[in-house]
Amino acid sequence: MFSQTNDRSNHVGLFLPHTIRTHPAMKKTKVFVATIILASLVSVTAAETKPNIVFLFADDQRADTIGAHGNPHIQTPNLDRLATSGFSFRKNFCAGSFSGAVCVASRAMLMTGRHWMNIPSEKVASDWKQLPLLPAVLESEGNYRTFIIGKWHNGKATLRKAFSSGRSVYMGGMANHADFKVQDLIDGELSPKRHAGGFSTSVFADAAVDFIEAADSDQPFFLYVAFTAPHDPRNPPDSYRRMYYDKRPPLPKNFLPQHPFVNAPQTTMGRDEGLAPWPRTPEIISDQLCEYYGLVTHLDEQVGRILQALKDSPHADSTYIVYTADHGLAMGSHGLLGKQNIYEQSMQCPLILSGPKIPQGESSDAFTYVHDTYATVCSFAGIKPPQGVDSRDLTPLMQGSSSKIRDSVFLPFQDNQRAINDGRWKLHIYPHINHQLLFDLKSDPHEMNNLAEDAEHASEVSRLTALMRSWRTGLGDDDPLSVDNPQPKTPVYSNSNRRLDVWQPKWIRDRYFGGRDNPDHGPGK
């Protein structure tokens, strides 16, 4: 773990002998005062040797949407500066999902520090309050003040177990960024809902800035800010989408009008996939990509406000910053729009760490999971992760004492998709349709050329299948990798099956749903 020193505790120590006098008549007073001062000294020293932690969590952000990470078409000056002042993990993944709402699974893994297959619960989305949750561990073992702002999509019981206080909390998975309600968390209880009074990302940033400016140095804090952007609706403030309409980013290199096979039930009927008609046209995907980039750039601006508030505060030199996302998003790649798939662009997401003694401007291609931040944050705080946590501490990668913490990543999605990636080769298995894909990521990083049926690569398929089997054994994954009666492989796309949720604003309904005004997804639907 990282060590810190603080000169102020030494100054307090120098104060002690000059304060306690030795007159015989004051012997009892001396002992009493010494006890109080020593207790205060211990408290101050404990607070000052524990760093603060600011955890910034984006929603649906692809790994390739940061300028400093190689995208010249997007404007993210604040994330660029964070990458320059910190350490980037360029092969960071969400570890699959038990749900089509991938954010639910990702956040469950983050808070428990466990792969979703290691979370013991019949209701794994929201019933893991019996496990040691990261904020609660920081509070009980490190005397941290924990505070939540923004999205919580895992139920009230787990929220109360994780945090006791927060502001502008959004209980749900998504919302119209410009029109939604929030609640405050006070002594473990949620206040009545109130109108947020602004755009989601700005509202959450406002609350974070207020918290940082008001925080004192008597107790370390863990500030968790969970944004709802760049999740759809893709309705950034108007100028942010228009800046990209005027200078359009290119389509993904693996753009397709529609996905060629049924990788999951959501492919032809899911809410995410219904956000644009089939077949996808370059024009519609270009528009939605501009809107998505607009959300990312606006998010970057609000992250910049939080980072500036931290820089201007007394906590600047004693705070670690974690920036990551729950998962990525297809946005036209492979003919898909959502994240209910195991392609790289949907399972990969950014991860940047910055703070005391973290190398600046460096990066690693070592495999990491989003939930590795659990053990890493514990390391920052000088706390041993609880038993049962499978999260890995990333500090050895940053210190250079290790070049990797795992040799491969396993990406299981419900019972209908499995993938194994060893850095060079990636194998997809689709059990319900008895279909496989094999990609050489060195020559084909966008997963466009399937080699699974090429006899020349049969040995790679066998080797990766065995590697996947090892992962499955370790995680207790007993879902079959093939079936006797496979489902139809060829998808049937029907625009009459597109779902419309209640959160899409009118201009999006007009633009992408033909003016439709009868939502069939969301509360009350």
Side-chain angles (χ1 to χ4, degrees):
M1 71 189 67
F2 294 97
S3 61
Q4 288 187 301
T5 58
N6 193 303
D7 291 338
R8 211 164 72 178
S9 61
N10 293 333
H11 295 162
V12 175
L14 290 173
F15 178 74
L16 185 60
H18 299 285
T19 304
I20 303 177
R21 302 183 183 278
T22 56
H23 193 283
M26 299 181 65
K27 191 171 291 186
K28 291 184 179 181
T29 302
K30 179 183 76 171
V31 173
F32 176 72
V33 172
T35 301
I36 292 177
I37 293 178
L38 285 170
S40 300
L41 174 60
V42 170
S43 176
V44 170
T45 302
E48 292 183 340
T49 55
K50 295 287 186 185
N52 305 303
I53 298 157
V54 174
F55 198 112
L56 306 176
F57 205 31
D59 193 348
D60 280 17
Q61 186 177 2
R62 287 174 60 127
D64 61 3
T65 55
I66 295 178
H69 289 170
N71 187 341
H73 307 288
I74 195 164
Q75 295 187 30
T76 54
N78 296 291
L79 292 177
D80 295 349
R81 282 191 285 271
L82 186 63
T84 300
S85 66
F87 196 100
S88 299
F89 294 91
R90 302 299 304 278
K91 295 294 181 182
N92 183 57
F93 290 81
C94 171
S97 180
F98 53 75
S99 168
V102 186
C103 61
V104 174
S106 181
R107 291 155 202 269
M109 291 186 278
L110 167 64
M111 286 292 152
T112 63
R114 297 170 179 238
H115 192 286
W116 65 265
M117 289 185 167
N118 279 336
I119 300 176
S121 174
E122 293 183 2
K123 298 179 180 179
V124 70
S126 59
D127 187 17
W128 27 262
K129 58 184 181 297
Q130 76 279 9
L131 298 176
L133 308 186
L134 177 59
V137 170
L138 291 172
E139 181 178 13
S140 63
E141 302 301 319
N143 190 37
Y144 273 78
R145 178 191 179 192
T146 62
F147 198 83
I148 179 174
I149 296 168
K151 175 176 174 175
W152 186 267
H153 197 194
N154 298 93
K156 292 181 180 179
T158 54
L159 173 65
R160 293 190 185 102
K161 176 65 182 297
F163 295 95
S164 60
S165 60
R167 180 178 164 195
S168 297
V169 178
Y170 180 70
M171 296 294 293
M174 61 176 292
N176 181 339
H177 295 289
D179 184 12
F180 68 111
K181 293 181 179 181
V182 294
Q183 298 168 273
D184 297 326
L185 184 65
I186 304 170
D187 295 330
E189 297 297 325
L190 285 166
S191 69
K193 292 181 179 180
R194 57 179 170 81
H195 285 283
F199 194 86
S200 68
T201 318
S202 300
V203 169
F204 301 146
D206 287 346
V209 169
D210 288 347
F211 177 89
I212 291 169
E213 290 179 346
D216 57 39
S217 301
D218 293 338
Q219 184 180 18
F221 62 78
F222 174 73
L223 173 62
Y224 175 76
V225 187
F227 299 100
T228 51
H231 194 295
D232 71 279
R234 292 187 261 279
N235 62 329
D238 191 63
S239 62
Y240 290 85
R241 59 186 171 102
R242 296 197 178 280
M243 66 186 286
Y244 288 107
Y245 292 157
D246 293 339
K247 193 173 182 180
R248 292 176 177 265
L251 296 181
K253 291 183 179 180
N254 48 17
F255 165 77
L256 288 176
Q258 53 196 34
H259 196 260
F261 61 89
V262 182
N263 62 316
Q266 296 91 345
T267 303
T268 58
M269 64 182 65
R271 187 208 69 86
D272 288 24
E273 296 304 332
L275 291 172
W278 296 285
R280 322 298 196 191
T281 66
E283 293 77 16
I284 283 182
I285 296 303
S286 178
D287 282 352
Q288 293 205 9
L289 194 62
C290 290
E291 293 145 16
Y292 179 70
Y293 274 33
L295 281 171
V296 174
T297 294
H298 184 257
L299 170 63
D300 175 85
E301 183 178 279
Q302 302 308 309
V303 167
R305 292 180 54 223
I306 296 172
L307 298 180
Q308 187 62 49
L310 184 61
K311 182 179 179 181
D312 293 341
S313 77
H315 317 294
D317 296 329
S318 58
T319 301
Y320 288 101
I321 301 163
V322 179
Y323 183 89
T324 189
D326 47 6
H327 45 73
L329 198 64
M331 286 307 304
S333 292
H334 303 286
L336 301 168
L337 286 176
K339 57 267 187 178
Q340 296 81 12
N341 61 83
I342 49 177
Y343 291 107
E344 296 288 282
Q345 79 287 318
S346 293
M347 288 294 104
Q348 275 200 52
C349 49
L351 176 57
I352 306 172
L353 304 180
S354 179
K357 297 189 179 181
I358 288 182
Q360 297 187 358
E362 296 187 17
S363 65
S364 171
D365 286 332
F367 286 131
T368 62
Y369 284 131
V370 175
H371 67 278
D372 287 331
T373 54
Y374 185 116
T376 307
V377 166
C378 285
S379 178
F380 291 163
I383 296 171
K384 183 179 180 180
Q387 187 175 2
V389 166
D390 58 60
S391 170
R392 307 280 183 86
D393 181 8
L394 303 182
T395 56
L397 297 175
M398 293 184 287
Q399 292 171 333
S401 58
S402 179
S403 62
K404 59 183 178 180
I405 55 173
R406 54 178 63 88
D407 294 321
S408 57
V409 285
F410 177 50
L411 305 173
F413 190 96
Q414 297 183 307
D415 64 350
N416 51 58
Q417 301 173 72
R418 296 289 184 272
I420 191 77
N421 179 346
D422 72 356
R424 168 73 185 273
W425 298 92
K426 184 178 178 185
L427 176 68
H428 295 219
I429 296 181
Y430 299 92
H432 291 184
I433 58 173
N434 289 350
H435 186 55
Q436 297 183 350
L437 303 176
L438 175 68
F439 300 108
D440 180 353
L441 296 178
K442 182 177 180 180
S443 60
D444 181 25
H446 302 289
E447 299 172 283
M448 300 169 66
N449 182 24
N450 179 24
L451 303 173
E453 298 179 5
D454 188 339
E456 180 183 348
H457 299 292
S459 62
E460 292 298 342
V461 173
S462 297
R463 182 182 63 82
L464 291 169
T465 302
L467 180 59
M468 183 183 293
R469 187 179 302 116
S470 176
W471 270 94
R472 282 162 50 83
T473 299
L475 290 169
D477 177 15
D478 55 7
D479 288 322
L481 293 181
S482 63
V483 294
D484 293 334
N485 299 300
Q487 298 174 4
K489 176 180 167 184
T490 303
V492 177
Y493 292 105
S494 173
N495 285 316
S496 64
N497 291 335
R498 292 176 62 202
R499 308 293 300 276
L500 173 62
D501 63 71
V502 300
W503 299 286
Q504 303 297 327
K506 185 177 186 306
W507 73 263
I508 287 182
R509 298 198 307 269
D510 290 344
R511 189 165 193 154
Y512 300 118
F513 290 88
R516 181 179 163 188
D517 197 24
N518 58 334
D520 56 4
H521 180 84
K525 303 298 178 182

